[in-house]
Amino acid sequence: MTARMLVNGVAATQVSALDRGLAYGDGLFESIRLVGTVAPLWSRHMQRLTEGCARLRIPAPDPAQLWREALEVSRGMPQSVLRITVTRGPGERGYALPASPQPTRVVAAFAPPPVAAEVHAQGVRMRVCSVRLAEQPLLAGIKHLNRLEQVLARAEWNDPAIAEGLLLDSHGRVISATMANLFAVVDGELLTPSLDRCGVAGVARAEVLAACPQARAGELTLDTLLGAGEVFLSSSVRGILPVRSLDGCGYVPGAMTRRLQQHWRDLGFSMEQGG
């Protein structure tokens, strides 16, 4: 995969071997969809990045500087996925925080992943993963660099017909997919799992919740999910994806899914390109 990349504002493809992001996963990242020179969810990404930096006590980067670098690495690309990575920077051996951290900032642009129109029309197939997400409220919600649980969950299958895996916590509560948040319509009510113990609070999830004030975040069991009328995934990179099956349980995309797909188009994303 080729990418255009800036490291601390300079064209480069390497960071220090002493960087704490490499050593400890001590940092955060954002994956941002650009359509030309427009990023419809930019403000939500910047809000989450700023909040995550505050949570980890990492000096937050300047959003205006990030935007200038985003335009530089994505120049000439009709559509792209921007990855912004912020680490605490280089440090001495050991877990103690550096007295004067010098954060590392990486801004890279990639071609967007292809998502066929058929997928947005009919949905994706999912499976329940064996890996369970550990609970850590201090890290819940933020998009920190340690994604080993998701890596191990994704390693559980290689069937190309299965696009996503469902992640549960240690108590069997539904949390998310490996790369997306999850919503379900149950008895006419739009539900999404609470993410106060684990999981990533996606910016696409935040957009759905803002567009549907009647939606509710709360505990969602696997049995309830299997009995839902509609299930869909939200992703800032791939948009609103219907779920057509989960371990053999079938779903049909309904009015709520279609309404939110249209909302995504109204934001300026092209669904057929994975928006």
Side-chain angles (χ1 to χ4, degrees):
M1 179 181 296
T2 59
R4 301 173 184 171
M5 188 176 304
L6 297 174
V7 178
N8 294 327
V10 178
T13 58
Q14 299 175 342
V15 298
S16 169
L18 298 177
D19 196 283
R20 290 175 61 96
L22 174 63
Y24 308 123
D26 191 359
L28 304 144
F29 73 102
E30 296 286 332
S31 298
I32 305 172
R33 189 62 188 270
L34 271 70
V35 182
T37 59
V38 177
L41 298 179
W42 178 264
S43 62
R44 294 194 183 280
H45 283 286
M46 291 301 100
Q47 179 181 0
R48 182 175 63 180
L49 180 61
T50 300
E51 292 175 353
C53 284
R55 188 99 63 93
L56 296 184
R57 291 186 277 179
I58 295 174
D62 177 15
Q65 181 179 44
L66 291 177
W67 181 243
R68 290 192 296 270
E69 294 175 355
L71 293 179
E72 181 176 345
V73 297
S74 64
R75 184 181 297 118
M77 301 174 72
Q79 297 201 47
S80 59
V81 174
L82 188 76
R83 174 167 167 137
I84 296 174
T85 305
V86 177
T87 80
R88 202 179 303 275
E92 300 296 328
R93 182 179 177 277
Y95 295 139
L97 301 185
S100 300
Q102 300 296 319
T104 298
R105 183 182 72 258
V106 180
V107 180
F110 302 83
V115 181
E118 177 187 1
V119 171
H120 282 113
Q122 298 181 15
V124 297
R125 292 182 172 87
M126 297 183 65
R127 70 187 298 277
V128 178
C129 294
S130 298
V131 167
R132 296 291 185 263
L133 296 179
E135 296 182 21
Q136 177 45 272
L138 290 175
L139 299 177
I142 65 176
K143 200 162 187 179
H144 56 79
L145 289 177
N146 193 324
R147 297 291 116 203
L148 287 177
E149 291 172 320
Q150 288 77 10
V151 169
L152 292 176
R154 185 57 186 87
E156 290 183 16
W157 81 95
N158 57 16
D159 182 354
I162 303 297
E164 260 288 15
L166 181 71
L167 292 172
L168 311 177
D169 67 12
S170 58
H171 297 281
R173 293 175 290 228
V174 173
I175 300 298
S176 67
T178 65
M179 297 190 297
N181 289 114
L182 179 140
F183 287 82
V185 178
V186 180
D187 295 330
E189 183 180 21
L190 182 59
L191 305 175
T192 192
S194 293
L195 302 175
D196 54 351
R197 301 181 185 93
C198 57
V200 176
V203 298
R205 175 181 183 268
E207 182 66 28
V208 171
L209 290 173
C212 301
Q214 76 280 12
R216 181 172 61 87
E219 187 170 312
L220 183 62
T221 67
L222 182 56
D223 285 344
T224 299
L225 181 63
L226 293 174
E230 295 179 55
V231 178
F232 64 86
L233 305 178
S234 64
S235 162
S236 62
V237 171
R238 296 178 293 169
I240 304 298
L241 297 178
V243 175
R244 64 189 300 180
S245 68
L246 173 61
D247 279 353
C249 177
Y251 305 98
V252 177
M256 182 62 71
T257 304
R258 298 309 186 203
R259 171 192 163 190
L260 287 162
Q261 286 183 325
Q262 184 58 52
H263 178 74
W264 232 245
R265 295 186 185 95
D266 293 342
L267 288 175
F269 292 113
S270 170
M271 300 294 290
E272 288 67 30
Q273 294 298 320

